[in-house]
Amino acid sequence: MQLLPEPVRRFAAWCAVILLAAGVGYVGIQVCVALRTAVVPVLLALLGAALLLPLHRWLVRVKMNRSVAAGLTCTAVLTVVGGAVYVVTVTLVDTWDQIVASLRRAVRVLADRFGAGGTSLEDLADDALDLLGRFGGTAASGVVTGIGFIAQALGMAVLALLLVFFFLRDSHRAAATLRSLVPRDPADAVEAMARRAFEGVEGFMRGTTVVALIDAVCITTGLLLLRVPGALGLGAIVFIGAYVPYVGAFVSGAAAVLVALADRGFAVALWVLGVVLVVQLLEGNVFQPMVQSRTVRIHPALVLVALTAGASVAGIVGVLLAVPVTAAAFGVAHELRTRYGPSAAGVSADP
């Protein structure tokens, strides 16, 4: 190695470090994929705990027992989520035939507008709906597999809820537990990095929830004023979609515009498109900067890369977890830069 120039040796050392880190990361990802039925509930529980911890802290500050406070917090979550699922389900069941018919008419209206009536675009709509019907029949024939999947999903949801309860109840012991698992010398650094990571996730979840609620209320109000069918269901889709940056907003906005186009015509569809665009512009330039000004801010390009990587690794679960994991990584990187960066070294070297 001494025969090689210094830049080549440094390059080789960096290549070895990158390959080692990539290998460890790949093995870790494969282990998580193999144990996904246990890993996914843990990650979802961490996200839930990050979102609900302020409420639990407030209940504890008013002299409530920690276990009771955690139980009430989880009960509140079940009530809110159950109510939202009930509203969305009832709305979609009541308007499903209308929405499907509206989408069929929307494609035909577009075909007529662009001179493609009776051609491939209209046939594509009919074929898509026929495919949907055949898929429903195939799904019914494979009901055993479907029941197994639903049972697995429910089991993971119950496990995640139980973990949220324990994470909230024992949150005051997290630092001591973490310090007991690592050697004494790096314990302070590990605890600081863990705190930074959790603060990043907590800030992301809190800010995203507030922004999602604002978006859903504004868009639902616009849809109700414009008398678009299924406004409450579409508003719920907007709220849920806000947790998937960019992709969720595009999908929920496109669904609202299509339904409005089918039932209310081009004029109302343009109004709906205007409402969605205005709300998204306000979100990007007003709501998010105001709500998340004190949390981890991630560049949009990095968010898109994280979403793509998450989808390729773990599908829809990876998409949901990609940005929170990136926020946690940013928190860890910030702590490392603060502790071991050039500025920290210069400060420590001063007398």
Side-chain angles (χ1 to χ4, degrees):
M1 291 293 292
Q2 297 298 329
L3 299 177
L4 297 176
E6 180 65 22
V8 175
R9 292 202 301 270
R10 290 183 179 179
F11 176 74
W14 275 110
C15 288
V17 171
I18 293 172
L19 288 174
L20 179 61
V24 172
Y26 177 79
V27 172
I29 291 173
Q30 293 303 314
V31 171
C32 291
V33 171
L35 302 176
R36 57 185 177 276
T37 54
V39 173
V40 171
V42 172
L43 295 177
L44 294 178
L46 286 174
L47 296 182
L51 179 62
L52 301 172
L53 194 56
L55 174 60
H56 181 262
R57 288 171 178 166
W58 178 79
L59 293 175
V60 171
R61 281 198 299 268
V62 297
K63 307 302 182 182
M64 184 175 292
N65 180 270
R66 298 189 67 89
S67 297
V68 176
L72 286 178
T73 304
C74 293
T75 302
V77 171
L78 281 177
T79 303
V80 173
V81 173
V85 170
Y86 175 78
V87 171
V88 172
T89 303
V90 170
T91 302
L92 291 179
V93 168
D94 292 341
T95 61
W96 179 252
D97 294 336
Q98 184 179 3
I99 289 176
V100 171
S102 299
L103 292 176
R104 183 193 292 270
R105 289 198 302 272
V107 176
R108 289 176 177 171
V109 168
L110 287 175
D112 293 338
R113 288 279 179 170
F114 292 100
T119 59
S120 59
L121 187 58
E122 186 174 348
D123 294 337
L124 180 62
D126 295 333
D127 293 341
L129 292 172
D130 293 339
L131 179 62
L132 181 62
R134 289 197 298 269
F135 175 77
T138 303
S141 64
V143 66
V144 175
T145 303
I147 291 176
F149 175 78
I150 293 174
Q152 184 181 24
L154 289 176
M156 293 171 64
V158 172
L159 177 58
L161 183 63
L162 292 175
L163 290 175
V164 168
F165 171 81
F166 290 119
F167 287 167
L168 292 175
R169 189 193 67 177
D170 300 328
S171 57
H172 63 297
R173 302 176 183 172
T177 302
L178 181 62
R179 295 179 72 92
S180 66
L181 298 176
V182 299
R184 180 176 302 178
D185 293 339
D188 292 337
V190 172
E191 179 184 350
M193 288 188 291
R195 289 184 183 277
R196 286 279 192 177
F198 189 78
E199 288 172 2
V201 176
E202 186 178 11
F204 168 79
M205 294 297 296
R206 183 172 59 248
T208 301
T209 301
V210 173
V211 173
L213 183 61
I214 295 174
D215 287 355
V217 170
C218 293
I219 292 179
T220 303
T221 302
L223 295 178
L224 289 173
L225 292 176
L226 295 170
R227 293 181 296 175
V228 176
L232 293 178
L234 293 171
I237 294 174
V238 171
F239 180 81
I240 296 172
Y243 286 93
V244 184
Y246 305 114
V247 177
F250 174 79
V251 172
S252 59
V257 172
L258 281 175
V259 173
L261 175 64
D263 266 55
R264 305 287 294 151
F266 271 95
V268 175
L270 289 176
W271 277 103
V272 172
L273 179 61
V275 170
V276 172
L277 291 178
V278 168
V279 171
Q280 295 302 322
L281 287 174
L282 289 175
E283 174 192 337
N285 296 281
V286 179
F287 299 152
Q288 275 193 333
M290 289 177 58
V291 173
Q292 296 186 339
S293 59
R294 297 185 179 181
T295 62
V296 177
R297 302 289 299 277
I298 305 174
H299 194 277
L302 186 57
V303 171
L304 292 175
V305 172
L307 290 174
T308 304
S312 64
V313 171
I316 186 62
V317 176
V319 172
L320 294 174
L321 297 175
V323 180
V325 170
T326 305
F330 262 65
V332 173
H334 179 76
E335 181 62 27
L336 290 173
R337 187 170 59 251
T338 302
R339 284 179 170 268
Y340 306 111
S343 59
V347 171
S348 62
D350 290 338

